[in-house]
Amino acid sequence: MNLRQLGEILKAHRDRIPPGSVGFPPEAGSDRRRVSGLRRDEVARLAGISLEYYSSLEQGRGSRPSPATLAGLCRALRLEWSQRAQLFELAGRPLPGGGSLQHVEPGVLFLLDRMDGWPALVLDEVGEVLVQNELAMALLGDLVSERGARGGIVERFFTDPAFRSRFARAGREAIAKVLTTMVRSAHRYWPADGPAARAIARLAAANTEFADLWVATERLEHVSPASVEFAHPTLGVITLSCSCMHAPRTRQRLVWCTAAPGSAAADQLALLGVLGAQAMPATEPDDA
């Protein structure tokens, strides 16, 4: 473990990232930047940690960062695979094998950064959300910070009525099928006794709808829906076109939702950007 060198590496990577490339707007006048790269508070925000803790890491002091913190820093700083390995080595941590600490390729993250006008997120092969932008958070809630405790999109959809109610009632049957075929298409990659397979077995035992779909979709490959109807507590039903891009190396998916310019849905997305995630607590589970 070498926290001093870890801090130097963090600062070097922070200095090389143009703020605009990760979604931070340019500043002018008295707010003009004093650094060409990211500020400490911006890295902390992207990584999901406090500014105080990040500052202590850059200064080579404080407690050894956890694997989850290191994974967040790797995403925030858009680190390549070899750079990620170096960061974990300096922190004296083994590289994680998968799950919520999966590495997201910098190219995928840079694409997500440019989708600030559209809800967008990165999923692993079983539907766990690895990273999401602010519009996706406003539409679906924070699916990253609680992922370890509450599972990914698939588990939430089938077991959490409040999350399920964020999708319009008329389209939920189709969404259920899409989510099931998504994990079904990835099933061939899992070891029979692996954590993903065990999680699906638990979900099938706990939810009869999922169990029935799991059998019914045995020969179907995953396809993304052409459109999804989201139910927002303030804006009502928002119908968005959905697209998906696969990252072959990691089998992760970048999913984003768009609306035609000038459409009612485009106006709703603009309002969603103003409302942000603070409107989401008003969402209540319905009778479905």
Side-chain angles (χ1 to χ4, degrees):
M1 182 174 66
N2 189 332
L3 292 184
R4 180 190 61 79
Q5 190 177 355
L6 175 70
E8 293 173 354
I9 293 293
L10 289 174
K11 185 179 185 307
H13 287 306
R14 174 168 67 86
D15 289 343
R16 71 174 172 79
I17 299 180
S21 71
V22 293
F24 290 109
E27 298 171 343
S30 61
D31 293 327
R32 189 176 300 277
R33 289 178 175 271
R34 298 179 182 178
V35 295
S36 57
L38 295 177
R39 297 191 303 248
R40 287 179 176 177
D41 64 298
E42 291 168 335
V43 175
R45 177 182 171 189
L46 290 171
I49 60 178
S50 71
L51 171 59
E52 292 74 20
Y53 182 55
Y54 177 76
S55 298
S56 72
L57 288 177
E58 264 204 14
Q59 294 162 7
R61 57 182 180 83
S63 60
R64 181 172 62 156
S66 68
T69 295
L70 291 168
L73 288 169
C74 289
R75 292 169 187 156
L77 296 169
R78 296 347 189 210
L79 299 190
E80 301 288 351
W81 292 86
S82 61
Q83 296 167 334
R84 169 180 178 254
Q86 181 187 35
L87 208 66
F88 274 82
E89 181 181 359
L90 290 173
R93 300 286 189 185
L95 280 172
S100 63
L101 302 185
Q102 286 187 42
H103 188 58
V104 181
E105 295 183 13
V108 174
L109 290 172
F110 279 120
L111 278 175
L112 184 141
D113 292 331
R114 283 154 179 77
M115 296 178 178
D116 57 339
W118 307 330
L121 44 81
V122 178
L123 301 171
D124 73 2
E125 59 187 339
V126 294
E128 186 164 349
V129 180
L130 303 177
V131 61
Q132 63 184 147
N133 65 10
E134 291 187 1
L135 269 183
M137 189 177 298
L139 192 62
L140 294 172
D142 185 350
L143 303 178
V144 175
S145 63
E146 297 181 351
R147 61 188 170 209
R150 302 181 62 191
I153 279 183
V154 179
E155 186 172 349
R156 287 170 185 255
F157 183 86
F158 285 103
T159 64
D160 182 352
F163 180 75
R164 190 181 179 98
S165 71
R166 292 172 181 172
F167 299 87
R169 184 189 299 273
R172 289 178 197 165
E173 182 177 345
I175 293 296
K177 186 173 183 179
V178 164
L179 293 177
T180 306
T181 57
M182 181 184 74
V183 294
R184 167 64 76 182
S185 66
H187 185 256
R188 61 181 177 268
Y189 298 110
W190 305 336
D193 58 348
R198 291 195 297 270
I200 296 305
R202 289 196 305 270
L203 183 54
N207 186 279
T208 56
E209 179 188 14
F210 177 84
D212 291 342
L213 283 170
W214 185 254
V215 174
T217 59
E218 184 173 1
R219 291 181 173 83
L220 296 179
E221 289 293 320
H222 172 65
V223 292
S224 298
S227 64
V228 175
E229 293 184 337
F230 298 93
H232 190 273
T234 303
L235 302 176
V237 174
I238 308 174
T239 304
L240 300 176
S241 299
C242 291
S243 301
C244 177
M245 184 192 76
H246 290 74
R249 182 173 183 175
T250 60
R251 299 198 295 270
Q252 295 167 359
R253 293 176 173 88
L254 172 61
V255 181
W256 67 98
C257 300
T258 60
S263 66
D267 293 339
Q268 288 172 303
L269 277 185
L271 287 172
L272 183 66
V274 175
L275 291 173
Q278 72 267 19
M280 290 313 300
T283 304
E284 295 292 341
D286 56 24
D287 296 329

